[in-house]
Amino acid sequence: MKMSNLESILDTAVEAAKIGGGILRRYFDEGVSIRDKSSGGGKSYDLVSDADEESEAAIEELLRARYPGHELLGEESLQSGDASAEHLWIIDPLDGTNNFAHRIEHFAVSIGYYQSGVAMAGAVFNPVTDDWYTATRGGGAFRNGKPVSVSPVTTLGQAMIGCGFYYDRGEMMRSTLAAIEECFSHDIHGIRRFGTASLDLCMVGCGKLDAFFEYQLSPWDFGAGALFLTEAGGTITDAKGDPLPIKKSSVLATNSALHASMQEIVAKHA
Ligand code: IPD
Ligand code: CA
Ligand code: CA
């Protein structure tokens, strides 16, 4: 794809994220009721609100008008989108719903564009801090228009590591805690759990975190952030070191230098 076409795709992603972000911002300021996504009445921590749904609907409207032939895959009403489509948009209309629900200003809209399975453009937008993370394939990664790159850290003993917990509180949580414990045995500087996977990946891309892992994420969580990270010089794979599929997957994202050592830890507890 020509760079000029890619730039207009990115412009559309930014425009859509701005619209979605405006909706999130309004609900965040005015208040919105949060619902539990579980249908069976069991315990669930998977939340949703009118903000998630309205943001996705507005993003969908813009993308369908602009690119009628393109496929959309998103967390709310767009889960049946065909991930193998030649032109695919991957949308998380509100990443970090739990932060949003608890009035923590750390959530985002995430929009990625994939061509035949390859990430080509992405935008992640925090509408409260007004931070933009954008990338195009081969064009670099930018935070608020300024180029960024991953950290130069080469040993776990210098590392700040981000992680995430899937909503599951069983086996996967125990795996995550075991991996965290092993990270600490390497005298890392610290562990952080910020609660918005798209922003976690961007934080690795910006060199704030040196690595990030989570044992289960969905494509809308990492669709845009994965490109941002690799364009910033990072590496992203699943826990085994295989390329990320466009479906639920474990995720390991690093500044590249730490990938092998982090993968050893993360794979052991997967
Ligand atoms: C969640 C966030 C969180 C991650 C969860 C995701 P949501 O997305 O990205 O950081 O730990 O696994 O599901 O539900 O807030 O869109
Ligand atoms: Ca998400
Ligand atoms: Ca979401």
Side-chain angles (χ1 to χ4, degrees):
M1 181 179 274
K2 278 197 212 140
M3 212 56 193
S4 57
N5 292 349
L6 217 46
E7 285 305 328
S8 69
I9 292 260
L10 179 65
D11 287 348
T12 301
V14 166
E15 197 179 330
K18 196 176 278 178
I19 292 170
I23 291 167
L24 300 187
R25 185 65 208 254
R26 173 165 53 80
Y27 277 117
F28 190 71
D29 292 343
E30 293 172 5
V32 62
S33 71
I34 309 283
R35 306 183 297 277
D36 196 321
K37 264 190 184 175
S38 65
S39 46
K43 261 194 193 168
S44 170
Y45 319 90
D46 197 356
L47 309 174
V48 70
S49 72
D50 287 352
D52 306 57
E53 291 166 355
E54 227 180 89
S55 169
E56 190 179 83
I59 292 165
E60 178 181 5
E61 192 182 340
L62 178 86
L63 295 180
R64 291 215 192 280
R66 200 67 57 85
Y67 297 106
H70 289 194
E71 188 73 15
L72 309 185
L73 174 67
E75 184 171 10
E76 304 309 333
S77 64
L78 298 169
Q79 289 210 12
S80 59
D82 175 9
S84 67
E86 186 184 351
H87 299 287
L88 176 70
W89 293 82
I90 306 181
I91 304 146
D92 195 334
L94 168 46
D95 189 28
T97 300
N98 225 317
N99 283 345
F100 183 90
H102 289 270
R103 306 211 43 76
I104 297 168
E105 297 94 339
H106 188 81
F107 52 87
V109 180
S110 171
I111 302 182
Y113 167 75
Y114 282 61
Q115 193 175 32
S116 304
V118 179
M120 301 300 287
V124 177
F125 173 44
N126 179 335
V128 180
T129 59
D130 202 23
D131 271 317
W132 283 94
Y133 303 88
T134 54
T136 49
R137 185 165 206 82
F142 297 83
R143 179 183 181 209
N144 298 327
K146 295 201 183 98
V148 296
S149 60
V150 294
S151 74
V153 161
T154 54
T155 66
L156 286 175
Q158 305 164 287
M160 178 63 85
I161 297 171
C163 67
F165 293 89
Y166 183 64
Y167 292 108
D168 171 275
R169 302 272 162 112
E171 198 55 44
M172 226 172 323
M173 175 159 278
R174 284 190 286 280
S175 298
T176 309
L177 292 172
I180 289 172
E181 190 171 9
E182 189 166 343
C183 286
F184 276 116
S185 77
H186 291 270
D187 292 329
I188 57 168
H189 281 184
I191 284 279
R192 296 291 182 268
R193 194 294 192 244
F194 290 116
T196 302
S198 56
L199 290 174
D200 291 322
L201 296 174
C202 293
M203 288 176 79
V204 182
C206 291
K208 296 180 179 185
L209 293 173
D210 306 298
F212 164 80
F213 71 94
E214 182 158 349
Y215 281 116
Q216 187 173 297
L217 284 173
S218 295
W220 38 84
D221 300 314
F222 58 76
L227 179 67
F228 183 87
L229 173 78
T230 53
E231 285 298 320
T235 300
I236 189 163
T237 63
D238 70 8
K240 294 198 185 96
D242 292 328
L244 283 191
I246 306 180
K247 61 180 187 190
K248 271 191 181 144
S249 173
S250 56
V251 170
L252 171 62
T254 68
N255 67 348
S256 294
L258 293 181
H259 211 79
S261 37
M262 276 306 293
Q263 198 196 306
E264 201 176 308
I265 296 171
V266 170
K268 193 194 290 180
H269 300 286

